[in-house]
């Protein structure tokens, strides 16, 4: 084989005649194939970037509403009855279920836990109202109070989960200092 030739020494004569044409066609094919692969890869990457941008945009909207819901849930847990809380959560539950894919898992778990715990509290409240004064009624009231405090902690955890996902600092309520001597 000639070191300066791409053709073997025993190649057919017709191959030698069309060597230049074959090389041009092979080069053209490689260029076309490379262009196709390059375009396909860039399009695929652009779709992926666009999808991540859209998911990010939706997450910002969802996280914003989730923070508002957390604040509302915390307020109604403190100010409302268990019926008020359940009615409010039922109105907002469809949105939570629709947004579950983009919400942090901790938020979703805490939301559903609060809802189930409030149902438990409501049943306990109904049962303790029918009870006579005594040890069993006091135990039911303590369970209601403990579950209510636990629910407020879960609500705080939902807010912390959203703030962590967004990279926001914890929200702190500043209170005036207590006077000394009391």
């Amino acid at each position: 084989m000639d070191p300066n030739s791409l053709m073997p020494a025993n190649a057919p004569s017709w191959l030698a005649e069309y060597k230049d044409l074959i090389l041009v066609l092979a080069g053209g094919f490689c260029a076309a194939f490379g262009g196709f692969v390059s375009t396909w890869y860039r399009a695929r990457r652009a779709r992926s970037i666009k999808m991540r941008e859209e998911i990010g945009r939706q997450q910002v909207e969802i996280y914003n509403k989730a923070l508002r819901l957390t604040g509302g849930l915390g307020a109604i847990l403190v100010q409302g009855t268990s019926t008020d809380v359940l009615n409010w959560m039922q109105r907002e539950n469809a949105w939570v279920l629709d947004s579950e894919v983009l919400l942090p898992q901790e938020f979703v778990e805490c939301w559903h836990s609060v809802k189930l715990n409030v149902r438990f509290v409501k049943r306990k409240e109904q049962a303790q109202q029918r009870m006579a004064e005594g040890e069993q009624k006091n135990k039911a009231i303590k369970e209601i109070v403990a579950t209510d405090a636990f629910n407020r902690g879960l609500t705080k955890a939902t807010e912390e989960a959203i703030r962590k996902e967004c990279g926001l600092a914890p929200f702190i309520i500043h209170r005036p200092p207590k006077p000394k001597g009391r």
Side-chain angles (χ1 to χ4, degrees):
M1 181 164 178
D2 182 9
N4 296 324
S5 172
L6 296 175
M7 302 290 289
N10 59 352
S13 62
W14 65 267
L15 191 59
E17 288 178 34
Y18 296 109
K19 174 182 87 165
D20 293 336
L21 179 63
I22 292 172
L23 289 175
V24 168
L25 289 175
F29 175 76
C30 288
F33 182 72
F36 168 75
V37 169
S38 172
T39 303
W40 171 80
Y41 177 75
R42 280 186 279 152
R44 182 174 173 219
R45 184 152 164 75
R47 278 193 307 271
S48 174
I49 290 169
K50 184 173 173 121
M51 188 169 116
R52 285 195 308 261
E53 286 173 351
E54 180 62 24
I55 288 171
R57 186 188 61 72
Q58 288 178 1
Q59 277 183 321
V60 168
E61 292 173 10
I62 286 172
Y63 289 172
N64 189 26
K65 180 159 183 179
L67 277 175
R68 284 195 314 268
L69 287 180
T70 297
L73 179 58
I76 201 164
L77 278 172
V78 170
Q79 298 171 350
T81 64
S82 57
T83 302
D84 296 336
V85 174
L86 285 175
N87 289 339
W88 183 84
M89 288 187 86
Q90 192 61 38
R91 281 194 308 271
E92 302 298 341
N93 199 53
W95 179 86
V96 172
L97 292 174
D98 290 343
S99 304
E100 213 169 87
V101 172
L102 297 174
L103 286 166
Q105 182 177 351
E106 187 176 3
F107 178 93
V108 176
E109 287 175 1
C110 290
W111 176 271
H112 293 298
S113 296
V114 168
K115 189 168 60 169
L116 290 174
N117 291 339
V118 171
R119 285 182 181 152
F120 168 79
V121 165
K122 186 173 180 177
R123 285 193 305 274
K124 276 290 186 186
E125 286 172 343
Q126 292 168 347
Q128 69 91 18
Q129 287 174 354
R130 292 188 298 266
M131 292 178 189
E133 293 295 325
E135 178 86 22
Q136 194 174 12
K137 185 171 186 165
N138 289 339
K139 181 182 175 191
I141 291 171
K142 285 179 183 176
E143 283 183 44
I144 290 169
V145 170
T147 304
D148 190 49
F150 182 72
N151 282 341
R152 286 194 305 273
L154 287 177
T155 302
K156 189 167 181 67
T158 62
E159 180 182 351
E160 289 171 358
I162 295 294
R163 288 188 170 281
K164 185 173 116 183
E165 285 289 320
C166 292
L168 300 172
F171 188 77
I172 299 171
I173 302 290
H174 298 280
R175 301 188 184 270
K178 293 184 179 180
K180 293 184 180 182
R182 286 191 181 191

